[in-house]
Amino acid sequence: MKNNENAVAPAMESTETIRAFQFHAPQADLDDLHRRILATRWPEKEPVNDNSQGVPLAVVQALAKYWADNYDWRKVEAKINSYPNFITTIDGLDIHFIHVRSKHENALPILITHGWPGSIIEQMKIIDPLTNPTAYGGKAEDAFHVVIPSIPGYGFSGRPAETGWGPERIGKAWVELMKRLGYDKFLAQGGDWGGLITDVMAVQSPDNLLGMATNFPCTVPPEVNNAAFSGLPAPDGLSGEEKEAYDQLSFAYKYVSYAFIMGSRPQTLLATADSPVGLATMFLDHDQKSLELISRVFAGESEGLTRDDVLDNITLCWLTNTAISGYRLYWENKYPFVAPFGVKVPVVVSAFPDELYQAPKSWAEKAYPKMIYYKKHNKGGHFAAWEQPELLVEDLREGFKSLR
């Protein structure tokens, strides 16, 4: 291991600053959720036969029927509680996190950040393969110590009562969290908000990050991003791969209306804190490719996600009443979502085809001048750890080999 021998010698958690945590939803809350699902007032079917007006009624009704008749929250609750969960107060706010140490010598510490509409549930599929690689087709030298925090306002973390909890402040809190655990130097990975937060953290705290990985690469040249956002023709001089990425991004910008209202009027979406089916509909409409995937799941097809996967994440948000506080991150954010940040640390890039855009290697090389690994996948979408955990784990193992 190079230049980071002290990074994997975490201090024992102090009971004074870090508290063990488990979550047990009151049965009354689950009963209330069931009642509300059954009481949903449905509109008429949309007058189109595609997703152009949003989430189709049939998809939401199939989701609601399964939610009410077959879904069991206690299964995922037990899975969450099977990992070491903790809460610590940073910058005046309670921060929840999962922290699993590997048994293998020289394991590298890695902090992994989820996005919206997400939670720590997104990353639970990759915890065991990362911490215990020999049981999942890897070698002992592939091991990581894994820390997965809940973003402020999400899941079990505190809901900010003041403004200012944007990506910069979250990045600083993550560095403090890792130092508190004894990791002065560490790796970081993320997708969606987690990707953006990781880029910001790498720029703010390069001395703390040994390297970073992202499945939501921030690589789009500003002039390309501006043209895609404005619906203009692609700029001249793009390669075939870059033009394809431009077309993907231009298409994605047409279907992210949720981001505009959350970025300007998050409190106006109060109804999604009152209706579980309303909340589910909001979550399903993140992007067209994810909606298509989830629609197939609730039509009975086998995909990277199951019906339980989808509802685990929605139900966690419902039970913690974090819909509105989660939306507010869009209001707090002042950064473009996919433009480069000026990251100078080593970077691992995972480019999935059904992401908002599949980052071309040419853009990634310019955005991340110290890129040490790039993989263009032929399957997978926006929620990589959730949908394609094996592929993401392989990228992390292979990508960070040179830093050990």
Side-chain angles (χ1 to χ4, degrees):
M1 190 173 63
K2 301 177 182 178
N3 301 322
N4 57 337
E5 286 81 2
N6 294 328
V8 295
M12 294 297 291
E13 283 110 346
S14 167
T15 56
E16 295 179 2
T17 59
I18 298 176
R19 297 102 67 191
F21 173 83
Q22 287 200 329
F23 180 75
H24 301 280
Q27 187 58 44
D29 288 355
L30 296 174
D31 293 342
D32 177 64
L33 169 60
H34 185 259
R35 177 188 63 79
R36 287 172 183 260
I37 295 168
L38 295 179
T40 301
R41 184 171 70 166
W42 299 103
E44 68 282 358
K45 180 189 179 301
E46 63 280 359
V48 294
N49 294 317
D50 54 26
N51 296 340
S52 60
Q53 291 195 359
V55 184
L57 180 66
V59 174
V60 189
Q61 288 184 325
L63 178 149
K65 178 174 175 53
Y66 184 82
W67 206 358
D69 296 345
N70 303 105
Y71 177 72
D72 182 3
W73 163 257
R74 297 300 184 192
K75 290 182 179 179
V76 71
E77 182 179 85
K79 182 67 172 177
I80 293 169
N81 289 333
S82 72
Y83 294 111
N85 285 254
F86 304 93
I87 288 180
T88 191
T89 302
I90 298 175
D91 197 6
L93 193 71
D94 279 351
I95 301 297
H96 162 265
F97 60 99
I98 291 173
H99 182 200
V100 183
R101 292 190 178 96
S102 175
K103 65 182 179 181
H104 294 292
E105 187 178 358
N106 293 331
L108 285 174
I110 186 168
L111 180 144
I112 304 175
T113 309
H114 65 84
W116 184 91
S119 67
I120 49 93
I121 286 173
E122 280 183 46
Q123 284 83 22
M124 289 202 304
K125 293 179 183 179
I126 65 175
I127 294 175
D128 293 338
L130 291 177
T131 58
N132 189 18
T134 55
Y136 292 85
K139 302 175 182 178
E141 54 265 33
D142 294 326
F144 296 86
H145 300 305
V146 174
V147 178
I148 305 175
S150 296
I151 293 174
Y154 288 69
F156 306 124
S157 280
R159 289 171 281 182
E162 60 181 9
T163 61
W165 276 98
E168 310 98 321
R169 192 168 177 181
I170 295 170
K172 291 175 181 177
W174 282 184
V175 172
E176 172 59 28
L177 170 62
M178 295 301 278
K179 288 181 176 179
R180 195 169 292 184
L181 294 173
Y183 304 124
D184 289 333
K185 294 182 181 293
F186 58 93
L187 302 167
Q189 194 279 337
D192 192 84
W193 278 121
L196 191 151
I197 290 167
T198 299
D199 274 58
V200 170
M201 182 168 50
V203 173
Q204 289 181 160
S205 304
D207 292 340
N208 298 108
L209 264 67
L210 298 167
M212 60 159 277
T214 179
N215 58 279
F216 188 71
C218 296
T219 69
V220 184
E223 67 277 9
V224 176
N225 192 36
N226 291 338
F229 183 81
S230 302
L232 299 174
D236 294 334
L238 299 183
S239 69
E241 187 180 40
E242 292 168 347
K243 176 61 167 56
E244 185 177 345
Y246 171 85
D247 290 340
Q248 285 182 297
L249 188 61
S250 183
F251 176 81
Y253 276 137
K254 295 178 182 178
Y255 295 98
V256 291
S257 55
Y258 66 87
F260 296 114
I261 190 168
M262 291 194 298
S264 60
R265 312 288 287 177
Q267 203 69 20
T268 297
L269 297 170
L270 184 148
T272 61
D274 186 61
S275 166
V277 171
L279 176 66
T281 305
M282 190 75 173
F283 272 36
L284 264 57
D285 206 17
H286 177 275
D287 66 273
Q288 288 290 86
K289 290 296 184 179
S290 295
L291 173 56
E292 291 170 6
L293 183 154
I294 293 170
S295 297
R296 293 193 296 271
V297 168
F298 281 97
E301 297 184 31
S302 177
E303 294 280 357
L305 298 178
T306 67
R307 291 177 293 184
D308 280 2
D309 285 333
V310 175
L311 287 170
D312 288 343
N313 191 53
I314 299 169
T315 306
L316 175 61
C317 181
W318 176 264
L319 292 172
T320 55
N321 193 16
T322 49
I324 305 301
S325 56
Y327 302 154
R328 291 192 188 115
L329 185 52
Y330 286 83
W331 188 92
E332 293 284 359
N333 179 55
K334 303 300 184 288
Y335 293 105
F337 285 102
V338 293
F341 285 84
V343 173
K344 298 297 191 293
V345 304
V347 178
V348 169
V349 172
S350 301
F352 288 91
D354 290 336
E355 182 53 271
L356 301 187
Y357 78 104
Q358 189 168 27
K361 189 175 183 179
S362 58
W363 290 354
E365 288 173 333
K366 293 177 182 177
Y368 302 120
K370 291 187 178 180
M371 187 172 70
I372 55 176
Y373 178 92
Y374 171 91
K375 184 63 176 289
K376 185 175 183 179
H377 293 283
N378 59 15
K379 65 177 179 179
H382 186 70
F383 303 98
W386 211 19
E387 299 170 24
Q388 302 295 336
E390 295 87 358
L391 297 180
L392 188 62
V393 166
E394 183 64 19
D395 285 353
L396 294 177
R397 289 176 180 173
E398 291 297 316
F400 287 131
K401 274 187 176 179
S402 64
L403 300 183
R404 292 183 180 273

